[in-house]
C-alpha cells in the first residue's frame, strides 16, 4: 500500500512535468527559423555587430546592425540564405512576422554592397531608393542615398522605386542589372545597367554554403557541353615543314599585256556586277 500510495502521489507531478517539457519542446519546434542566429563563415578586416567588434565566433541575430570597414568583408549564413557583405557597408536583418517560415524575411541595406543567395520563399530587400521582392533568387545590391544598383543574378525579383511610381518584374537566368534612382533620370526611375563587381564564383560559393548547387554551375556546364558538341570530330591539323616540302612548287605568275584602249561608246556595267551577295542570316 505504501508503494502504491507514493505512486499515486507522484503520478500527477510527473504528468505535469511531462506536459510542461512537451510544451517547451513543441514551442521550440514551432519557433520560426528567424529566431536562429547567423553563422559567420568568413571575416576579414574590421567588422562590427551593434557597434562592437566582431570575431569568427560572433553570432549575428535578427535586428542586429552589421557594419564593415575599409578593406573588410563578412560572409555568413542564416537559415537557407547566404550573404557576402563587402567593405564600407551597413546592413540590418529585419525581424520577420511570426507567420514567416523562413529565416530571413527581409533585410535593409543602408549603404555599401551585398551579394546574397536566397533560398525558397519570399524575401524583401530595402534600400534608400528601392524595394525589391525576391523569390529564390541570387542578387547583388549596391546602395547609396541617390541610387540602388540591383543585379538579379538568377531567379525572379520585382523592383520598385521607393515612392512606388515605377515597377519592373525581372525574370533572370543570368545577371540582369538595373539601377533604381531617387529622382527621375532621363525620364525613368528604373533603368537597365551593366553587370559589375561580382562573379559567378562568388555566387557558387554562397549557394554551396547552404548545400545548394548554384544555377551558375548548371549554366556553365551546359555552355561547356554545347561548345564540345560544336567542335569538329577531327579538327584540322596544323601544317608542318614536311608538308611544305612535299607540295609541288607553285607555277610562276604570267604578266598579261595591258588591254588596248576601248573604242566607241562605253556601255555602263549592269547593276548585277556591283551587287554584293546578301548576308547570311545564321
Amino acid at each position: 500500500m505504501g508503494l502504491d500510495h507514493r505512486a499515486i502521489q507522484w503520478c500527477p507531478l510527473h504528468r505535469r512535468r511531462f506536459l510542461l517539457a512537451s510544451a517547451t519542446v513543441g514551442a521550440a519546434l514551432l519557433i520560426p527559423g528567424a529566431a536562429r542566429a547567423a553563422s559567420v563563415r568568413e571575416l576579414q578586416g574590421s567588422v562590427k555587430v551593434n557597434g562592437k567588434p566582431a570575431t569568427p565566433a560572433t553570432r549575428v541575430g535578427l535586428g542586429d546592425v552589421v557594419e564593415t570597414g575599409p578593406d573588410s568583408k563578412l560572409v555568413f549564413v542564416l537559415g537557407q540564405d547566404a550573404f557576402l557583405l563587402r567593405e564600407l557597408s551597413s546592413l540590418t536583418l529585419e525581424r520577420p512576422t511570426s507567420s514567416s517560415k523562413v529565416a530571413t524575411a527581409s533585410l535593409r541595406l543602408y549603404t555599401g554592397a551585398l551579394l546574397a543567395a536566397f533560398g525558397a520563399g519570399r524575401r524583401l530587400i530595402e534600400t534608400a531608393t528601392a524595394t525589391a521582392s525576391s523569390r529564390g533568387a541570387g542578387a547583388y545590391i549596391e546602395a547609396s542615398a541617390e541610387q540602388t544598383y540591383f543585379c538579379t543574378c538568377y531567379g525572379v525579383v520585382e523592383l520598385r522605386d521607393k515612392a512606388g511610381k515605377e515597377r519592373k518584374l525581372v525574370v533572370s537566368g543570368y545577371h540582369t542589372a538595373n539601377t533604381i534612382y531617387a529622382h527621375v533620370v532621363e525620364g525613368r526611375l528604373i533603368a537597365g545597367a551593366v553587370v559589375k563587381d561580382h562573379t559567378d564564383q562568388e555566387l557558387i560559393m554562397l549557394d554551396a554554403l547552404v548545400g545548394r548547387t548554384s544555377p551558375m554551375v548548371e549554366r556553365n556546364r551546359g555552355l561547356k557541353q554545347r561548345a564540345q558538341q560544336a567542335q569538329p570530330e577531327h579538327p584540322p591539323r596544323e601544317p608542318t615543314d614536311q608538308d611544305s616540302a612535299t607540295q609541288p612548287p607553285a607555277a610562276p605568275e604570267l604578266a598579261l599585256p595591258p588591254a588596248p584602249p576601248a573604242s566607241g561608246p562605253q556601255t555602263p556595267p549592269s547593276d548585277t556586277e556591283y551587287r554584293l551577295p546578301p548576308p547570311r542570316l545564321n
Side-chain angles (χ1 to χ4, degrees):
M1 289 291 296
L3 290 176
D4 292 342
H5 179 68
R6 283 195 298 271
I8 293 172
Q9 286 182 324
W10 281 99
C11 185
L13 179 60
H14 285 303
R15 178 177 176 80
R16 285 195 298 271
R17 288 177 177 172
F18 174 78
L19 292 175
L20 179 60
S22 300
T24 303
V25 172
L29 293 174
L30 291 174
I31 293 175
R36 297 192 297 269
S39 171
V40 173
R41 300 301 177 89
E42 182 181 352
L43 188 152
Q44 175 183 308
S46 173
V47 178
K48 293 183 179 180
V49 177
N50 297 327
K52 298 179 180 180
T55 70
T58 299
R59 306 289 285 177
V60 183
L62 294 175
D64 290 345
V65 178
V66 185
E67 300 169 292
T68 56
D71 299 320
S72 304
K73 71 175 181 180
L74 180 68
V75 177
F76 62 97
V77 169
L78 181 58
Q80 289 299 304
D81 301 337
F83 305 95
L84 191 165
L85 187 64
R86 298 206 191 280
E87 65 173 345
L88 301 174
S89 300
S90 178
L91 169 73
T92 295
L93 303 173
E94 302 286 350
R95 296 184 181 277
T97 61
S98 58
S99 60
S100 175
K101 297 181 181 180
V102 297
T104 311
S106 63
L107 58 88
R108 187 184 300 272
L109 183 65
Y110 298 98
T111 57
L114 175 72
L115 183 67
F118 296 109
R122 181 175 178 269
R123 307 291 191 277
L124 190 66
I125 303 104
E126 294 188 78
T127 69
T129 69
T131 299
S133 178
S134 162
R135 291 187 180 275
Y140 176 70
I141 310 112
E142 292 183 359
S144 69
E146 293 300 318
Q147 65 183 43
T148 298
Y149 172 89
F150 198 108
C151 179
T152 306
C153 307
Y154 59 81
V156 180
V157 172
E158 182 183 283
L159 298 173
R160 293 178 182 268
D161 69 284
K162 206 64 176 180
K165 295 180 180 179
E166 287 190 28
R167 164 186 174 275
K168 188 173 186 179
L169 181 65
V170 181
V171 181
S172 175
Y174 190 70
H175 297 297
T176 305
N178 288 275
T179 300
I180 306 94
Y181 299 101
H183 308 287
V184 175
V185 175
E186 297 181 354
R188 301 298 303 273
L189 286 169
I190 304 176
V194 298
V195 178
K196 63 175 185 175
D197 299 338
H198 62 291
T199 66
D200 290 358
Q201 288 71 26
E202 290 174 322
L203 286 161
I204 291 169
M205 177 270 295
L206 290 180
D207 273 312
L209 289 178
V210 288
R212 290 193 299 265
T213 299
S214 174
M216 299 301 169
V217 174
E218 300 296 336
R219 176 186 180 276
N220 294 339
R221 183 182 296 129
L223 289 176
K224 185 177 180 180
Q225 290 175 350
R226 286 195 291 272
Q228 291 174 344
Q229 294 170 356
Q231 291 179 353
E233 186 175 353
H234 299 291
R237 184 171 57 87
E238 292 292 333
T240 64
D241 295 338
Q242 185 177 1
D243 294 332
S244 301
T246 58
Q247 294 293 330
E253 294 184 1
L254 300 177
L256 299 177
S263 59
Q266 298 293 317
T267 303
S270 67
D271 180 59
T272 307
E273 293 175 324
Y274 290 97
R275 184 177 300 151
L276 296 176
R280 295 181 60 186
L281 301 178
N282 295 326

